Amino acid sequence: MATTTWALDTAHSHISFSVRHMMISNVRGSFKTFEAQVTADPTDLTDAKVSVKMDTKSIDTANEDRDNHLRSGDFFEADTYPTIEFVSDSVKKLSENTHTLKGQLTIKGVTRPIELTCEIEGPAKDPWGNERIGVAATSTINRSDFGLTYNAVLETGGVLVGDAIKLNIELEFVKQA
């Protein structure tokens, strides 16, 4: 198969995260608006090029007050930094369907290298004859590495918001003609 462009199917894709709250539970959220593109030969993903862009104003944790706080200067400064962006550097095959995807993540104007573990399925034909691939990627990043340092110390010890952010990315792509 030749290298080709794969467009994101947003109806079958999701980008979410979780973070510790008060050292006792997890808060989960997602980005409702995002875009992604892959240029790859699915038979040899080592030369794949991946880009993902998330709209910081689209953050959704199912709590309007928290979402507005996350959009504020204490966190994402969404008016100044409207997107979070990832651009791949390399892909390494680990097993049949598992790969390591390395790239540069930019949050709030700070760019750092990250590594994602990806399970890649496909290509497969849908009922309408389109070729599709699915990518399930996970990683953990430290929010403070990207200038997201807002916090409060708890009187019982610990902090209000954990530093480790667990990312869970589920994307489906359709091969372009």
Side-chain angles (χ1 to χ4, degrees):
M1 205 177 255
T3 299
T4 189
T5 299
W6 299 76
L8 182 67
D9 176 352
T10 56
H12 298 102
S13 298
H14 189 78
I15 297 177
S16 62
F17 61 89
S18 65
V19 62
R20 295 297 272 173
H21 176 251
M22 293 182 51
M23 311 292 290
I24 59 171
S25 66
N26 287 310
V27 168
R28 299 184 191 291
S30 64
F31 291 93
K32 297 297 183 186
T33 305
F34 54 91
E35 57 189 61
Q37 187 175 38
V38 172
T39 303
D41 174 349
T43 63
D44 180 12
L45 295 172
T46 56
D47 290 330
K49 301 296 179 207
V50 180
S51 64
V52 179
K53 189 182 289 189
M54 295 159 271
D55 178 354
T56 54
K57 290 182 181 180
S58 76
I59 197 164
D60 182 3
T61 64
N63 181 293
E64 187 176 348
D65 289 339
R66 179 173 46 227
D67 295 345
N68 288 333
H69 189 204
L70 289 168
R71 292 179 192 112
S72 78
D74 283 343
F75 288 95
F76 289 112
E77 291 185 62
D79 287 334
T80 304
Y81 303 100
T83 60
I84 295 170
E85 298 183 29
F86 173 81
V87 177
S88 67
D89 291 330
S90 66
V91 179
K92 180 180 177 184
K93 186 173 185 171
L94 300 177
S95 67
E96 182 63 29
N97 294 335
T98 305
H99 295 73
T100 298
L101 175 63
K102 293 182 179 181
Q104 303 298 314
L105 180 66
T106 303
I107 301 175
K108 211 172 154 180
V110 177
T111 302
R112 299 262 189 251
I114 69 164
E115 186 174 298
L116 297 115
T117 300
C118 302
E119 291 181 19
I120 302 171
E121 299 293 339
K125 286 211 183 236
D126 66 21
W128 304 274
N130 301 304
E131 286 187 68
R132 294 177 175 265
I133 55 173
V135 178
T138 59
S139 187
T140 301
I141 62 169
N142 292 324
R143 66 185 182 92
S144 59
D145 290 347
F146 296 91
L148 301 171
T149 57
Y150 172 86
N151 224 329
V153 176
L154 302 173
E155 69 178 58
T156 56
V159 292
L160 183 64
V161 183
D163 196 34
I165 307 293
K166 294 180 182 178
L167 303 175
N168 183 34
I169 302 165
E170 303 275 344
L171 304 176
E172 188 170 312
F173 295 91
V174 180
K175 182 179 178 182
Q176 300 300 287

